[in-house]
């Protein structure tokens, strides 16, 4: 009886070890296939984007470079985050190396922050293209975009490494999945991180796209009004041409 109970623990012999979550074999295999299929599709599509933009020189534009940077971030999601997250969801025990736990937490936060930064750069690119189209090619160049991408990747790596260094205690025993994410009581740091990595970028992105929407709507109204004026002018000229012969005959 004791052996049966010990077999249900992640690490038999440790009283503080978590119990294993037992699933039926069919559900277990189905869920693994589902999540790993998502990871495979994510990797394939992003590799396709990366190869296409990198190989064809015609696609070397500022906007496509931003898409390339976003595709690399998404590739990390498919290669690391989804597979490791699948193990974390399916297994109650954390059998991976304790430093891999730190790496997994780091890469998860990093991918989120770099993706938002890429979306922010894309929104700035679209804002200039719509709101200031005459100076777009002078303001948004491949050199500036490349420098911007390099800066955000470097800053995100340094920032997330420092953040993980502060909040994650590597020396904790990693027996359960929950312990992998155990952080010390730094609520104020978590709030600051939420503001920096989520609230500020999302607010800027929403503001820029709202401005793009307003500018696009005003431009559409001007186009429609010009078309309406042109059509009314054509009708007036046609009516005048029709009436002139009638006056002459009289």
């Amino acid at each position: 009886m004791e052996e049966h109970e010990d077999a249900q623990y992640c690490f038999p012999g440790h009283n503080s070890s978590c119990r294993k979550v037992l699933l039926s074999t069919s559900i277990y295999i189905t869920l693994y296939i589902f999540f790993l299929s998502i990871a495979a599709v994510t990797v394939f599509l992003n590799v396709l984007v990366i190869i296409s933009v990198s190989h064809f020189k015609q696609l070397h534009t500022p906007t496509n470079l931003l898409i390339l940077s976003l595709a690399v971030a998404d590739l990390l999601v498919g290669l690391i985050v989804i597979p490791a997250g699948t193990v974390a969801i399916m297994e109650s025990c954390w059998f991976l190396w304790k430093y891999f736990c730190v790496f997994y937490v780091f890469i998860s936060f990093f991918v989120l922050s770099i993706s938002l930064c890429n979306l922010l750069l894309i929104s700035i690119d679209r804002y200039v293209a719509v709101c200031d189209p005459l100076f777009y090619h002078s303001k948004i160049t491949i050199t500036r975009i490349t420098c911007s991408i390099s800066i955000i990747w470097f800053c995100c790596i340094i920032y997330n490494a420092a953040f993980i260094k502060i909040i994650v205690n590597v020396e904790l025993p990693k027996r359960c999945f929950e312990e992998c994410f155990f952080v010390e009581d730094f609520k104020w740091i978590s709030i600051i991180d939420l503001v920096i990595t989520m609230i500020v970028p999302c607010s800027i992105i929403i503001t820029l796209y709202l401005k793009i929407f307003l500018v696009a709507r005003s431009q559409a109204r001007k186009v429609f009004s010009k078309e309406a004026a042109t059509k009314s002018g054509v009708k007036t000229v046609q009516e005048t041409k029709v009436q002139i012969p009638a006056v002459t005959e009289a």
Side-chain angles (χ1 to χ4, degrees), residues 16-249:
S16 60
S17 178
C18 296
R19 289 179 177 269
K20 294 181 180 180
V21 176
L22 301 178
L23 297 174
S24 64
T25 305
S26 59
I27 296 176
Y28 189 80
I29 295 175
T30 302
L31 289 176
Y32 258 109
I33 292 174
F34 174 74
F35 286 117
L36 294 181
S37 298
I38 294 176
V41 171
T42 302
V43 171
F44 173 75
L45 293 178
N46 285 287
V47 167
L48 191 63
V49 172
I50 292 170
I51 293 175
S52 299
V53 176
S54 303
H55 180 70
F56 297 104
K57 292 184 179 180
Q58 297 86 347
L59 298 178
H60 291 180
T61 62
T63 304
N64 287 338
L65 289 180
L66 294 173
I67 295 174
L68 175 64
S69 176
L70 185 60
V72 174
D74 292 339
L75 179 64
L76 294 177
V77 174
L79 286 176
I80 301 173
V81 177
I82 295 180
T86 301
V87 175
I89 293 172
M90 298 295 297
E91 310 289 344
S92 58
C93 309
W94 186 261
F95 294 109
L96 301 176
W97 193 33
K98 66 178 183 179
Y99 289 103
F100 184 81
C101 165
V102 179
F103 175 72
Y104 173 67
V105 177
F106 165 77
I107 204 68
S108 299
F109 281 93
F110 169 73
V111 166
L112 176 62
S113 59
I114 194 65
S115 297
L116 283 174
C117 288
N118 280 309
L119 292 175
L120 177 60
L121 290 180
I122 291 173
S123 65
I124 294 173
D125 173 75
R126 293 300 86 201
Y127 174 78
V128 176
V130 174
C131 301
D132 200 4
L134 295 178
F135 297 96
Y136 174 78
H137 293 289
S138 60
K139 290 182 177 180
I140 308 297
T141 61
I142 293 179
T143 303
R144 289 182 179 179
I145 290 297
T146 304
C147 292
S148 300
I149 292 172
S150 302
I151 290 171
I152 64 171
W153 276 81
F154 177 77
C155 291
C156 286
I157 291 173
I158 298 299
Y159 172 81
N160 285 282
F163 180 73
I164 296 301
K165 176 68 175 178
I166 293 173
I167 68 169
V168 176
N169 189 352
V170 185
E171 301 305 321
L172 285 173
K174 301 299 180 292
R175 298 186 183 130
C176 309
F177 169 64
E178 290 80 6
E179 291 180 355
C180 174
F181 289 93
F182 184 90
V183 295
E184 300 196 11
D185 191 14
F186 290 110
K187 292 183 179 179
W188 59 275
I189 294 180
S190 300
I191 294 173
I192 294 174
D193 175 68
L194 179 65
V195 172
I196 293 175
T197 60
M198 286 290 294
I199 296 177
V200 172
C202 290
S203 300
I204 297 174
I205 291 171
I206 292 172
T207 302
L208 290 176
Y209 277 114
L210 283 175
K211 289 184 178 181
I212 291 172
F213 171 75
L214 294 176
V215 171
R217 188 175 66 174
S218 65
Q219 290 177 352
R221 285 180 177 177
K222 290 179 181 179
V223 171
F224 290 145
S225 62
K226 287 181 179 179
E227 289 181 354
T230 303
K231 290 180 180 179
S232 62
V234 171
K235 288 182 179 179
T236 304
V237 172
Q238 289 177 349
E239 290 175 356
T240 304
K241 289 182 178 180
V242 171
Q243 291 177 359
I244 288 176
V247 173
T248 306
E249 291 176 1

